[in-house]
Amino acid sequence: MLCVMPINQRSATLLEPMKQEIHFVTGKGGVGKSVLAAALALKKSQEGKNTLLVELGDQSFFKDFFGLPQVGFQPVTIRPLLSVALWTGEACLQEYARHFIKVESLAKLFFENAVMKAFINVAPALPELAILGKVTSGPRKHGPPLPFDCIVVDAFATGHFIALLEAPKGMAEAVQFGPMGEQSRSIDAHIRNPEICKYHVVTLPEELPLKEASELVARLKNEFGVTAELIMNKMIEAPVSEKTLQEVQAENSDLSKFAEYLDGHIRRQNQMWAQAQELSPQVTRVPLYFESSAWALVEKTTEVLK
């Protein structure tokens, strides 16, 4: 049964906000990062942590994927200790303003003001800053309560993800004084803190996705000082040995042609795996699963995550 979680519902472990975990899952479009984010969130909930799976943007992937009637700004419980929400920068900014303005009519007037609308539309990185402000509100003890032990963010794809992370530093440099500058510096410090924020870069055993993933892992290390886990998704695991594949290839049949293709694919895949291990000290291998059920796919993926 689906239900909207009351904002004042808190798990016992959130009595100390700094204990909250934040996980960002990103990668090139089409590599399966959303499924990996869902699997990670499910794993955390199975460990007894009240977990929120957050997707960013205007449209929900998980609504159709899990067959949910709705996914919106307010968290919706989809399994024990597991909820899902959809956040946009504008919605995060409006919630933040309402939290401090208190009076709904004033908040509404604030956002319907033509000058403010224009400022929101042209202000660089303000939506990204609002999103990260909400994500890190628990550890920072600032803003509306976010009563979860763990937050897993199904983040933007590679390029937009870097822009997301650069937003707090950019705003802090542009606005060096006052509350906005102070909060921007606080957000920037928290997303760089490995005790609070973890990063997971999803890729495929293919040249282009791995190249983009390697560049992202390097930027995260060089520019933000964080070590990302590299997740190699959709690895084919053949139920036969290399020797058997070579023996079948010696036959003159359609099966031999398939064996030749499979053998070549596995060899290239293993080369990509070896390269991935050189890129990051944390590399996880996720098999290619043939599942028609969304939850079956997520549950199987959960089993191999570290």
Side-chain angles (χ1 to χ4, degrees), residues 280-298:
S280 173
Q282 305 172 36
V283 186
T284 299
R285 181 187 185 109
V286 177
L288 173 63
Y289 294 118
F290 297 92
E291 290 289 346
S292 59
S293 165
W295 278 114
L297 175 60
V298 170

Side-chain angles (χ1 to χ4, degrees), residues 97-98 101-113:
R98 286 188 172 91
I101 295 177
K102 303 298 183 184
V103 180
E104 177 64 24
S105 58
L106 290 179
K108 186 176 181 180
L109 182 63
F110 179 80
F111 282 100
E112 289 183 351
N113 181 281

